[in-house]
Amino acid sequence: MIPRTPFQQFLPPRIEKARLRLRDMIWQVDGEPLAVSRSPAGPGYVDAKTADGLKYRPVRRLPHTWGKLFDQCWWKLRIPRGAGRSRYLVWRDQAEATLYIGGRAHYGLDLGHPYAPLPDRVTQRGGEVMVESACCRTGIWISGETEGVSSKGSIFQGAFLATRDEDAWHAYHDLEVLLELAIVQHRAAFPLSSDIPDGNGYREPIEVVSPAFRRLIDQLDRAVDALDHGGPAALRWVLQKTYAALPAAPDALRATLTGHAHIDLVWLWPERVGVFKAVHSFANVLSLQDRYPELVFGYSQPASYEAVGQRSPETLRRVKRAVADGHWEPTGAMYVESDTQLACGEALVRAFALGQNGFRKLRGEDSRAVWLPDVFGYSGVIPTLMAGFGVPYFFTTKMHWSSATRFPHSSFKWRGNDGSEVLAHLSWKHYNQENRPAEFDFAAQQHRQSAVHHEVLIPTGYGDGGGGPTESMCERARRVADLAGMPRCKWGTIEGFFDRLAEVSGELPAWRGEMYLEYHRGVQTTHGQLKSAFRAAERGLQAWEAVRCARQRGPIDKQPWKRVVFAQFHDYIPGSSIRAVYDEALPELERLAADTAAHAKRELADQRATAKPCLFNPLPLARTVRRKDKQITLAPLAGVALRDAEKDAIVLPKVKVGDRRLENDRLAVRFNAVGEVAAMRVDGRKLAFDSPAGALWTFPDHPANYDAWDIDRPAVSNGKRVTGRAELEIDAADPWGPVLRFTRRIGKDSRATVSYTLDACSAMLRIDIDLDWREPQTLLKLAVPTAYRGANARFGAPFGSQLRPQLPGSLTADAMFEVPGSRWAAVADDTEREGVVLITRDKYGFGAHDGLLHVSLVRSSLVTKANSGGGNDSAAAAVDDMADLGRHRIGLAMGRYSADLSRGQNPAALADTLFTPPISYRGAACSAGLLAVEDGESLVPCWSQPLGRGAWVLRLHETLGQRGTARLRLAPGYTATPIDLREQTQGKAQDRAVRVEFAGYQVLSFRIERGREA
């Protein structure tokens, strides 16, 4: 025989071929399918107990097509007696399924989990089992996945029994991990190579490589020799010695593995399927932990746990046992994995409050980590809220998606805009990791703080569509646990990882403020009607809670808040889900808005004959409102009889109206023939417009990757200004608030009526747009070109505001061409004493560039499709595939901006007062006991939360980055006590004039209480 070849370039193809041979040896599937019967399929939910009594019909021919998209159905099949040990059920269907044994969710069957292990009692004695199916896509990111189910249904190709060859199974993973380790080593030597030498034809010699690589290739080749002569067991014997000779270095990086199953509660499926996926994934994990007791699994979202408890109580009981045993870690702090930019600040507070309440039920204590791997940017207020709820740790992966600049850290101290500090860790790989050597190598290479923090966190398991870890992932983890060239890997808890990180926190770098994601910028605008309904629901809750504070009543029911917080999920309110989600979501949010507003009015009303016409201010800040020809002042959170209010009312002057002009004592506006603002003076100061303000611009909107998510940089340079003379209508029926209406065509088939209103004594120009939008795949913006070129523009945030660069030149500034704004944005000079502000009722996508301030109104992007994975599906989509075609009513306001303005002109306050009308009712006067918030104009009171027994919470936020002092003026008999977001006391109670010291961007809370003598 000739000696072994010294030319190793010929060995890798042989090794890879052996891996494939072993893979094909693992499973032996019976040729005959099992007899299966099926229940009718339908969109409703049927639990396992009820399903047992349904009518089932035998499935006599295969393949068998069943159901419509998102339908549920149940199947029955009998496992024959004496099937033997090591038997598995193979379920060949396009749809996702969950195997039930004895009425208990046993295992989730999907592309990543195709073989369900059967308990010995079933394989030995036989018996009937049931399968629940959801006609939906599975395995979103699994390599080689098909397109998923169609609207015609899922194709079922039979149920089979299978046996696993244990030697082949273990030999396969032994060889696979070492071969992938060799690939990692080869790529280190040849960075431009995509793989070890392989393929047909000439094979490049393996020359400049490490001795370790040569030894490893030689050992793998010898293992294949053993496979050829002695089968899988012989290969395993050889590779056991190879593993023993390849321990990890003493100073190797550590990797903490956490089992993971990122479940999108809605996305390519509606909510009911998201619940199915939770049961499905939880069953998978519990089954795996029986066979891999080292597996530790972490999951966030109490909304999921609650849904699982309702649908499959036994599954939740098993989860709680795993939690008690330390194998399951509920953590995440928030009720759902929320978007952090679109909800108002108080809605984010409730996301934490509901979340921590849910985690206490699951684990007996608060969660200590926020878990947001897949959110489209991270508001600078998140560390503030985390600190307020005592949550010290934060994790994400999404920042590695940024397209222009690289986030500089992996482990760091994240400081909120107010200076609150939490520890953060960022994974540079996605959250669907599989415990492959290349992933560990990449994590080690990208860990920027490895010199001081010698550990990384690795989320392991299939996510998005759920499913979680697999047996192969667990097998790889065992083999990589102590392997040369790899981090030392061990399953562990998320919070345990952060506890170790905290030991070196003093050596970590800091990042202050928001983490802006340079991608997915369209989510601030997509599905504008949904965002409008969401904001209306927030206002309804605000009004209802305000009434309860004024009426000295207890908290409202948690359910409306749970539903609004559920809508904060990061594929819900951003508009990135399929149309079926919004067919359910939009009516629900509209109903929530109407119901909460009705509750507020009902609880104010008094049916007695002596009841008087009254007006209630649902905001915790004083305001003025116009009633015909008079201006009435309303105290915070108070209802006043109109007759009494009018005694101190100011008689208003009439607003001057003419051909294309409006003027009152404070503001004068002149319009051009197109209906744009040609000139504007506020309190005698001329606003510095570069060209007419309020111009409408259309932009072809064809993102390169993800239609619903993205606005691309070239798109915003490719706009066309809407021109042409407009039809002008002057409505002067109300001389204290006349209206100018300009109607014109937009594009080919759309029309807009832009109405300008100027109330007497108001310094803000109201702009209401009645839009009939028919332009496919088009973005519509309103632009305000100004001469205000301060280095930064200011944008509203859920609490406070955010400064972002607006001057051209840097890559960072250019990447911020479209940014989130919580209903307002302003450009100004560097002193912020002179500028222009745009305020919206429910629009969140803004931009500022070299003085040009703009807001996105609508974008008719392609709606995400159930089988798309989010990417572009068709260059010639049908109109029905597009968002926001139809009627829109858009509310805006424009005026002078200055950081020196009074609280009444603070943009954060105006975003509430301009679009939150007082409530008319018949009844009696009422008050929550807050008379005024005086001084400290940048400190804005924003919410009131009833606690009961005469107590409520006042929430305030500093909005412009300033320090100062304010006073809470209370009615006699009331006291104010500083508290944190958990309602824990932080100081002494004070009465009457309560001094409040505040810092920039601080969120403050006070418990206002009514004494017995009040």
Side-chain angles (χ1 to χ4, degrees):
M1 295 291 293
I2 62 174
R4 304 178 69 83
T5 179
F7 302 106
Q8 288 190 322
Q9 65 265 34
F10 298 107
L11 302 181
R14 179 186 188 227
I15 300 167
E16 168 63 9
K17 182 67 173 180
R19 185 187 72 85
L20 297 177
R21 286 163 55 200
L22 283 168
R23 183 195 64 186
D24 293 341
M25 294 178 192
I26 295 172
W27 297 103
Q28 292 81 47
V29 180
D30 290 355
E32 285 297 318
L34 296 171
V36 175
S37 58
R38 180 176 71 81
S39 77
Y45 170 67
V46 178
D47 62 30
K49 185 176 181 180
T50 305
D52 190 45
L54 296 176
K55 292 184 177 180
Y56 288 78
R57 292 186 177 180
V59 176
R60 301 190 184 281
R61 298 181 61 182
L62 297 174
H64 171 78
T65 301
W66 67 272
K68 297 179 181 178
L69 197 58
F70 310 130
D71 275 358
Q72 180 210 35
C73 83
W74 285 89
W75 314 69
K76 284 186 177 182
L77 59 155
R78 179 165 292 278
I79 306 300
R81 179 186 294 272
R85 299 178 66 86
S86 300
R87 299 290 281 186
Y88 292 77
L89 175 67
V90 182
W91 188 260
R92 291 178 177 167
D93 192 13
Q94 289 180 301
E96 239 172 58
T98 305
L99 172 64
Y100 281 73
I101 297 177
R104 187 174 86 166
H106 174 73
Y107 196 83
L109 290 151
D110 56 44
L111 286 176
H113 306 81
Y115 301 96
L118 296 171
D120 289 346
R121 69 180 186 277
V122 173
T123 58
Q124 292 172 3
R125 302 174 188 172
E128 186 178 75
V129 300
M130 297 178 67
V131 173
E132 178 191 8
S133 289
C135 191
C136 68
R137 187 178 188 181
T138 180
I140 303 305
W141 302 121
I142 295 174
S143 177
E145 186 211 356
T146 60
E147 279 297 305
V149 301
S150 72
S151 58
K152 296 180 181 178
S154 178
I155 300 175
F156 173 68
Q157 297 187 0
F160 302 83
L161 290 178
T163 303
R164 190 172 80 182
D165 184 312
E166 295 301 315
D167 279 334
W169 167 261
H170 291 291
Y172 172 82
H173 290 98
D174 288 343
L175 183 62
E176 178 193 52
V177 167
L178 291 178
L179 179 58
E180 291 185 6
L181 176 63
I183 293 172
V184 168
Q185 293 178 346
H186 184 265
R187 286 176 181 167
F190 300 96
L192 299 181
S193 174
S194 61
D195 210 336
I196 56 178
D198 197 357
N200 299 317
Y202 178 72
R203 290 175 183 159
E204 191 73 27
I206 298 175
E207 295 179 339
V208 184
V209 294
S210 69
F213 176 80
R214 293 191 188 280
R215 285 197 303 271
L216 182 54
I217 290 295
D218 180 74
Q219 287 297 305
L220 294 179
D221 185 51
R222 293 177 186 274
V224 176
D225 288 347
L227 173 66
D228 289 343
H229 291 286
L235 178 141
R236 291 195 67 199
W237 186 83
V238 172
L239 291 186
Q240 283 175 6
K241 294 191 293 182
T242 303
Y243 276 100
L246 290 172
D251 62 346
L253 189 75
R254 289 177 297 171
T256 294
L257 313 180
T258 176
H260 181 57
H262 176 74
I263 299 173
D264 283 324
L265 306 181
V266 294
W267 180 35
L268 304 183
W269 41 81
E271 183 178 352
R272 65 182 183 275
V273 176
V275 176
F276 168 88
K277 287 176 174 288
V279 176
H280 170 94
S281 301
F282 287 11
N284 266 344
V285 173
L286 293 165
S287 175
L288 274 178
Q289 288 177 333
D290 288 341
R291 287 163 289 139
Y292 298 90
E294 70 271 25
L295 170 62
V296 179
F297 181 76
Y299 186 74
S300 61
Q301 306 194 118
S304 280
Y305 290 105
E306 289 177 5
V308 169
Q310 293 170 3
R311 181 168 288 195
S312 181
E314 170 60 21
T315 299
L316 186 61
R317 284 193 289 270
R318 293 165 62 204
V319 165
K320 289 182 177 179
R321 287 196 293 270
V323 172
D325 292 340
H327 293 116
W328 191 297
E329 184 185 24
T331 192
M334 304 178 79
Y335 186 64
V336 300
E337 292 179 12
S338 291
D339 177 271
T340 73
Q341 307 279 14
L342 296 170
C344 71
E346 188 65 24
L348 288 175
V349 168
R350 304 308 175 90
F352 277 92
L354 290 169
Q356 291 292 49
N357 182 61
F359 285 114
R360 284 191 294 273
K361 292 179 180 178
L362 288 164
R363 53 186 275 176
E365 60 183 2
D366 284 349
S367 162
R368 296 189 294 124
V370 165
W371 184 266
L372 293 178
D374 189 29
V375 176
F376 314 135
Y378 304 88
S379 168
V381 78
I382 294 300
T384 303
L385 302 183
M386 290 174 62
F389 278 93
V391 184
Y393 306 141
F394 177 87
F395 176 83
T396 187
T397 68
K398 199 70 175 187
M399 288 303 296
H400 81 272
W401 282 49
S402 282
S403 58
T405 63
R406 281 279 190 177
F407 193 78
H409 313 307
S410 50
S411 293
F412 55 100
K413 293 176 284 191
W414 185 19
R415 292 177 183 154
N417 289 331
D418 71 331
S420 298
E421 186 173 284
V422 298
L423 284 182
H425 184 71
L426 189 156
S427 170
W428 286 92
K429 198 74 173 174
H430 57 71
Y431 45 80
N432 293 302
Q433 298 191 58
E434 303 176 36
N435 285 344
R436 294 189 179 278
E439 294 172 341
F440 293 121
D441 181 66
F442 184 81
Q445 298 285 348
Q446 292 292 334
H447 185 21
R448 312 299 172 83
Q449 277 63 56
S450 59
V452 295
H453 175 220
H454 211 51
E455 187 176 358
V456 291
L457 183 62
I458 307 291
T460 297
Y462 291 126
D464 293 300
T470 67
E471 291 176 306
S472 287
M473 294 175 194
C474 294
E475 293 287 351
R476 292 186 202 110
R478 287 178 171 178
R479 288 158 178 79
V480 182
D482 183 18
L483 185 61
M486 294 285 101
R488 292 184 181 274
C489 302
K490 186 178 181 180
W491 295 100
T493 63
I494 296 161
E495 293 178 9
F497 165 86
F498 276 105
D499 288 340
R500 293 185 292 277
L501 174 60
E503 295 173 3
V504 296
S505 61
E507 300 182 66
L508 296 177
W511 178 272
R512 176 160 181 169
E514 73 169 341
M515 289 189 282
Y516 170 76
L517 181 65
E518 297 165 348
Y519 206 35
H520 290 347
R521 300 169 181 89
V523 298
Q524 320 305 330
T525 305
T526 305
H527 283 293
Q529 292 163 330
L530 178 83
K531 290 173 171 62
S532 179
F534 176 79
R535 178 59 194 151
E538 287 182 331
R539 285 197 303 271
L541 285 166
Q542 184 181 34
W544 190 11
E545 293 201 322
V547 168
R548 291 214 147 212
C549 292
R551 289 296 195 194
Q552 311 295 323
R553 293 173 183 166
I556 67 172
D557 185 76
K558 289 182 180 179
Q559 191 59 25
W561 265 120
K562 284 186 174 182
R563 296 310 298 167
V564 167
V565 171
F566 186 93
Q568 293 173 201
F569 181 75
H570 59 266
D571 275 313
Y572 186 140
I573 190 60
S576 47
S577 289
I578 60 173
R579 190 176 295 279
V581 170
Y582 301 122
D583 287 344
E584 296 176 1
L586 187 58
E588 182 187 20
L589 288 174
E590 290 173 340
R591 185 170 58 253
L592 274 169
D595 288 349
T596 50
H599 277 298
K601 191 158 187 172
R602 188 179 305 117
E603 294 194 21
L604 283 168
D606 189 335
Q607 302 301 321
R608 290 177 293 184
T610 55
K612 301 175 182 178
C614 297
L615 208 57
F616 179 78
N617 176 14
L619 300 176
L621 67 163
R623 60 194 294 198
T624 59
V625 296
R626 182 171 66 86
R627 294 282 296 181
K628 298 181 180 179
D629 62 340
K630 295 179 181 179
Q631 179 175 282
I632 296 173
T633 300
L634 297 179
L637 304 170
V640 61
L642 282 174
R643 181 178 297 178
D644 295 335
E646 289 172 352
K647 292 177 182 178
D648 299 320
I650 298 172
V651 178
L652 296 171
K654 294 181 179 179
V655 175
K656 298 175 183 178
V657 59
D659 185 19
R660 302 207 301 267
R661 67 180 179 87
L662 288 171
E663 184 176 352
N664 65 16
D665 288 350
R666 299 194 61 190
L667 193 152
V669 190
R670 180 169 52 84
F671 305 91
N672 62 17
V674 184
E676 301 161 344
V677 176
M680 188 171 179
R681 285 183 177 273
V682 181
D683 296 328
R685 297 171 180 261
K686 183 178 180 180
L687 299 189
F689 296 136
D690 272 354
S691 58
L696 295 175
W697 285 73
T698 60
F699 302 81
D701 192 9
H702 303 279
N705 291 320
Y706 300 99
D707 286 83
W709 284 262
D710 290 342
I711 295 174
D712 290 351
R713 177 63 175 86
V716 296
S717 302
N718 189 30
K720 183 177 180 181
R721 183 177 173 182
V722 178
T723 58
R725 192 176 183 89
E727 300 174 9
L728 172 61
E729 177 189 357
I730 301 176
D731 182 354
D734 182 350
W736 294 274
V739 182
L740 294 186
R741 296 189 181 93
F742 295 86
T743 301
R744 54 192 154 158
R745 294 180 62 87
I746 301 177
K748 295 180 180 179
D749 300 304
S750 302
R751 290 178 67 84
T753 296
V754 182
S755 300
Y756 295 98
T757 307
L758 181 57
D759 277 352
C761 293
S762 173
M764 297 297 297
L765 177 66
R766 283 288 301 266
I767 307 169
D768 293 289
I769 303 174
D770 187 349
L771 175 67
D772 186 8
W773 186 243
R774 305 291 173 185
E775 308 306 303
Q777 292 178 274
T778 304
L779 170 67
L780 179 67
K781 281 182 172 287
L782 182 140
V784 180
T786 80
Y788 301 110
R789 290 179 171 82
N792 294 304
R794 190 175 288 277
F795 300 84
F799 283 127
S801 61
Q802 182 69 46
L803 287 171
R804 299 186 180 106
Q806 69 135 345
L807 295 184
S810 72
L811 179 59
T812 297
D814 197 71
M816 292 187 176
F817 59 86
E818 184 83 5
V819 296
S822 189
R823 297 175 288 131
W824 65 272
V827 290
D829 56 26
D830 277 332
T831 68
E832 286 199 273
R833 292 182 178 177
E834 197 66 39
V836 172
V837 64
L838 266 177
I839 300 171
T840 79
R841 181 176 59 214
D842 43 40
K843 297 300 172 185
Y844 301 88
F846 292 88
H849 178 81
D850 204 18
L852 172 65
L853 180 63
H854 53 91
V855 58
S856 295
L857 303 180
V858 293
R859 61 183 302 252
S860 43
S861 60
L862 292 179
V863 176
T864 303
K865 292 184 178 179
N867 288 327
S868 71
N872 292 348
D873 283 333
S874 172
V879 169
D880 289 345
D881 295 332
M882 295 171 199
D884 279 351
L885 297 179
R887 294 293 293 272
H888 298 262
R889 287 177 173 80
I890 300 166
L892 307 163
M894 182 169 61
R896 176 175 171 256
Y897 169 76
S898 173
D900 295 335
L901 291 173
S902 67
R903 180 179 293 108
Q905 293 299 302
N906 184 297
L910 287 168
D912 277 342
T913 57
L914 288 172
F915 302 107
T916 307
I919 303 172
S920 297
Y921 69 99
R922 295 187 68 87
C926 58
S927 172
L930 176 67
L931 301 181
V933 179
E934 300 174 334
D935 302 328
E937 284 76 11
S938 65
L939 183 68
V940 174
C942 58
W943 206 280
S944 56
Q945 175 190 353
L947 299 176
R949 297 186 178 181
W952 57 277
V953 176
L954 171 65
R955 200 92 64 211
L956 310 96
H957 62 133
E958 199 288 320
T959 58
L960 299 176
Q962 302 174 357
R963 292 182 176 273
T965 303
R967 287 191 302 275
L968 308 183
R969 192 154 57 84
L970 305 177
Y974 285 84
T975 61
T977 305
I979 59 174
D980 65 13
L981 295 176
R982 292 172 290 184
E983 300 171 17
Q984 296 178 353
T985 300
Q986 301 292 301
K988 295 182 179 180
Q990 302 179 57
D991 60 5
R992 301 298 179 97
V994 179
R995 179 182 172 87
V996 179
E997 293 186 356
F998 59 87
Y1001 304 114
Q1002 194 171 7
V1003 177
L1004 297 173
S1005 304
F1006 289 86
R1007 182 172 61 247
I1008 311 294
E1009 293 183 274
R1010 184 186 187 190
R1012 293 180 180 178
E1013 72 279 7

